[in-house]
Amino acid sequence: TGTMSATAAPRKRGKSASAAGAGANKRRRKADSAGDRGKSKGGGKMNEEISSDSETESLAPRRTEEEEEEQELEETAQEKKLRLAKLYLEQLRQQEEEKAEAHAFEEDQVAGRLKEDVLEQRGRLQKSVAKEIQAPAPADIRVLRGHQLSITCLVITPDDLAIFSAAKDCSIIKWSVESGRKLHVIPRAKKGADGQSPGHSSHVLCMAISSDGKYLASGDRSKLILIWEAQSCRHLYTFTGHRDAVSGLAFRRGTHQLYSTSHDRSVKVWNVAENSYVETLFGHQDAVAALDALSRECCVTAGGRDGTVRVWKIPEESQLVFYGHQGSIDCIHLINEEHMVSGADDGSVALWGLSKKRPLALQREAHGLRGEPGLEQPFWVSSVAALLNTDLVATGSHSSSVRLWQCGEGFRQLDLLCDIPLVGFINSLKFSSTGDFLVAGVGQEHRLGRWWRIKEARNSVCVIPLRRVPVAPAAGS
C-alpha cells in the first residue's frame, strides 16, 4: 500500500487545474443526481429520516464516497452506468428464468390435474396401473372367518378402514381392515318375534355404501331394503316397494341418492337423507341380477337371462339397451363414467363403451372350461370389479382362482395379468379406493342359488394385498 500511495501522490499533484475542476464538477453533479434520486424515490420520507442531529454524522459517508471516486477515476461516469445496468439486467434475467421454471412446473402439475379431471368427467380416464401389479403370495392373503354360510356381497368404506360383508346366514358383519377383527355384527332377525331386533330374515343379496361413508344400504330376498348408519350400524329406515328379491344397490357418488333393482324387473330411485321414494323405471324382460352407478345421474344394470345390459338415464327417464353375451348376465361394474365390465354364465367377460351397443372387447371362457371331455362347459363368471378410472379389472368364478386383467388402449382388449388362487365361489369382489388391496367374498355356493356345493371352500372374506412395482418407461416415451 505504501508504494501505491507514493506513486498515486505525484499523479494527483501533477493534475492540471482544469482536470481538478472537472473532477470537482463531476462530484457535484453526482451528489446532485444522488439527491434527485433520493427525492424521486422517497420524497418526504428521505427528508424525514435524516434529522438535524445527524448532520455531523452524514459527513463521514460522503468522505468514503470521495475515496471511492478517487480509486475509480479511470472509469468514466458513462462506463459505470453501463456496467451497473448490465449487472442489473443479468440479475433480472436470472430472476425471470427462475420464475419461468417454477411457473412451468406448476403449470405442468395443474394441467395434469385438470386434464385428469376433464377425462374423468368425460369418462375417458384410464390410468395405467395394471402392469405394475404383482401377484401376491398365497400366504399373504388374509382370511376373515365369521359367517356360517356363503358370503353373497360386500362393500369397503370409502376410507378403506372397514369392510361390510353379508351372507346367506342373513347376518352383516363389519370388519377392521387393519386388525381383521369384527367391529360389529348385525345378526339375523327372528321371524314373528315381538319387538324383533332390526336385521334381515332372508338371504342378503346386495349392499351399497354412500361415498361419504354415512349410510349403508342392504337388500334381501324378502323384498326389503334396510338403511343403516355405517359408523354405528344403527338401523335407520326400511324401504319397501319392490315385489321380489332386491338384487342390486348403488349410491350415486357425492349424493345420498340410492338406486335399487330387483327380480321384479324394475329399477327404483330413493332419497336416503330424506327417507323418501322418488320413482320407478321399467324395461328389463327378466329378473335383474346386478346394478352399479357413479357420479352421473344414471345407473347400469345386468339383466340376467334377458341378455341385455341397460344404462338408465334418470332425468330423461330413458334407457340404452346393449347386447353381447350369450348367457345370463349376472354381474356388472363401471370402470369410469363411460365404460363398464360385465360377466355372464356363458363364461364371457365384456368391456363396454356407453356410446356403442356392442361390446368393445369380449373375452370368452374367461375362467376356462370344466366337465368331462366332450361335455365341457365354461365356468360361470359370478363377480366382476374394476379399479375406478384405471385399466385394472378383476373377475371371480368357482375355478379356484380370482383373475386380474388389463384393459387395452381404449378398452378394446382384455389381457390376462395373473391368477390368484382362491377355492370356492367368488360371489363378490371389491377394490379398495387406493388400489392397495382387493377383497373377495367367498362361499361354498353361488350367491343366487345352490347349483353346486364346493365342500373344500371356506365361507370367508379374503383380503388380497396388491403390491405395485413401477415399470420402467419404454424407450422414447
Side-chain angles (χ1 to χ4, degrees):
T1 54
T3 54
M4 274 181 72
S5 56
T7 53
R11 208 162 62 227
K12 273 187 213 164
R13 280 200 297 278
K15 248 194 255 179
S16 66
S18 62
N25 289 341
K26 194 194 286 180
R27 281 199 292 276
R28 210 174 294 120
R29 278 200 304 276
K30 188 160 187 179
D32 291 347
S33 64
D36 291 344
R37 275 204 302 276
K39 275 180 200 166
S40 64
K41 268 189 195 170
K45 266 190 184 175
M46 288 287 283
N47 299 341
E48 281 169 30
E49 283 172 13
I50 300 169
S51 66
S52 56
D53 300 335
S54 64
E55 274 178 13
T56 51
E57 291 168 22
S58 63
L59 295 172
R62 280 181 197 165
R63 273 201 297 279
T64 57
E65 273 180 24
E66 284 171 14
E67 284 167 16
E68 278 174 22
E69 278 219 338
E70 282 166 6
Q71 284 172 7
E72 294 169 8
L73 273 174
E74 289 164 23
E75 184 180 47
T76 65
Q78 201 64 32
E79 283 170 346
K80 187 171 183 182
K81 278 181 188 171
L82 195 63
R83 182 170 60 81
L84 290 171
K86 278 181 183 173
L87 194 67
Y88 180 59
L89 285 170
E90 183 60 26
Q91 284 176 342
L92 278 181
R93 190 179 64 76
Q94 282 180 354
Q95 284 174 4
E96 286 304 313
E97 275 180 9
E98 284 168 15
K99 271 187 200 170
E101 274 178 28
H103 186 61
F105 180 66
E106 275 176 31
E107 267 194 342
D108 280 353
Q109 284 192 316
V110 171
R113 283 293 304 277
L114 286 173
K115 192 176 175 185
E116 270 191 16
D117 289 350
V118 168
L119 285 171
E120 190 171 346
Q121 282 167 10
R122 287 185 185 167
R124 299 212 181 107
L125 185 57
Q126 190 184 3
K127 289 182 199 164
S128 182
V129 301
K131 279 286 181 211
E132 299 176 1
I133 299 294
Q134 270 202 325
D140 294 339
I141 299 172
R142 290 194 296 150
V143 179
L144 313 182
R145 299 291 306 274
H147 290 286
Q148 301 304 307
L149 299 176
S150 299
I151 314 293
T152 52
C153 54
L154 54 84
V155 291
I156 306 171
T157 56
D159 57 14
D160 289 346
L161 295 178
I163 299 163
F164 287 93
S165 63
K168 288 187 178 183
D169 60 16
C170 314
S171 68
I172 297 172
I173 300 178
K174 182 180 184 181
W175 308 84
S176 163
V177 170
E178 191 181 5
S179 67
R181 292 200 184 122
K182 294 177 192 175
L183 298 174
H184 201 284
V185 178
I186 301 170
R188 176 186 188 137
K190 301 288 187 288
K191 279 185 183 175
D194 293 330
Q196 70 175 45
S197 58
H200 293 279
S201 55
S202 61
H203 296 179
V204 184
L205 295 182
C206 52
M207 281 198 294
I209 193 163
S210 59
S211 55
D212 60 358
K214 189 175 180 182
Y215 297 111
L216 174 77
S218 54
D220 65 16
R221 281 199 179 273
S222 305
K223 318 169 197 176
L224 299 178
I225 299 167
L226 302 188
I227 307 297
W228 312 84
E229 189 181 72
Q231 185 59 40
S232 64
C233 296
R234 184 168 61 91
H235 177 249
L236 297 174
Y237 319 118
T238 300
F239 289 164
T240 58
H242 279 297
R243 296 179 178 187
D244 205 338
V246 180
S247 55
L249 287 167
F251 278 93
R252 182 183 168 200
R253 283 167 72 89
T255 74
H256 293 140
Q257 192 171 52
L258 177 69
Y259 305 121
S260 67
T261 193
S262 161
H263 291 174
D264 68 8
R265 310 178 188 185
S266 71
V267 172
K268 289 186 188 288
V269 185
W270 315 81
N271 186 328
V272 172
E274 294 174 13
N275 186 18
S276 62
Y277 158 78
V278 181
E279 62 180 321
T280 303
L281 304 165
F282 294 96
H284 277 293
Q285 305 300 308
D286 206 325
V288 189
L291 174 144
D292 196 22
L294 282 178
S295 305
R296 291 185 186 168
E297 206 170 349
C298 73
C299 62
V300 298
T301 51
R305 286 187 300 258
D306 81 355
T308 67
V309 164
R310 295 184 190 231
V311 177
W312 304 81
K313 297 184 176 181
I314 309 298
E316 296 94 330
E317 294 187 16
S318 66
Q319 56 190 285
L320 303 173
V321 186
F322 299 79
Y323 298 90
H325 292 285
Q326 300 301 311
S328 171
I329 308 169
D330 293 337
C331 45
I332 194 159
H333 203 287
L334 281 158
I335 302 170
N336 58 29
E337 298 285 4
E338 283 286 328
H339 298 90
M340 54 192 169
V341 59
S342 63
D345 70 2
D346 63 354
S348 62
V349 173
L351 293 177
W352 309 80
L354 264 56
S355 55
K356 289 245 167 73
K357 293 293 177 79
R358 293 275 169 188
L360 298 174
L362 186 68
Q363 182 70 42
R364 298 188 191 279
E365 298 168 13
H367 280 261
L369 297 167
R370 59 176 180 83
E372 295 169 20
L375 297 169
E376 296 101 336
Q377 289 288 316
F379 279 104
W380 295 6
V381 178
S382 52
S383 56
V384 292
L387 183 56
L388 185 63
N389 293 323
T390 70
D391 59 348
L392 183 61
V393 164
T395 60
S397 179
H398 62 286
S399 61
S400 301
S401 68
V402 170
R403 290 197 153 176
L404 296 184
W405 305 81
Q406 179 181 16
C407 303
E409 187 67 37
F411 299 96
R412 294 185 179 278
Q413 200 176 330
L414 205 54
D415 300 312
L416 181 63
L417 284 174
C418 63
D419 277 22
I420 300 165
L422 215 52
V423 176
F425 279 88
I426 312 300
N427 287 325
S428 186
L429 284 169
K430 288 285 187 294
F431 282 100
S432 65
S433 54
T434 54
D436 292 340
F437 59 92
L438 171 68
V439 183
V442 183
Q444 292 183 335
E445 301 169 353
H446 191 284
R447 76 180 188 111
L448 297 175
R450 301 188 70 183
W451 296 282
W452 299 275
R453 189 155 185 270
I454 301 170
K455 287 182 182 176
E456 315 84 69
R458 292 191 289 175
N459 298 320
S460 58
V461 173
C462 296
V463 182
I464 303 162
L466 299 175
R467 279 196 300 277
R468 287 197 209 175
V469 177
V471 178
S477 65

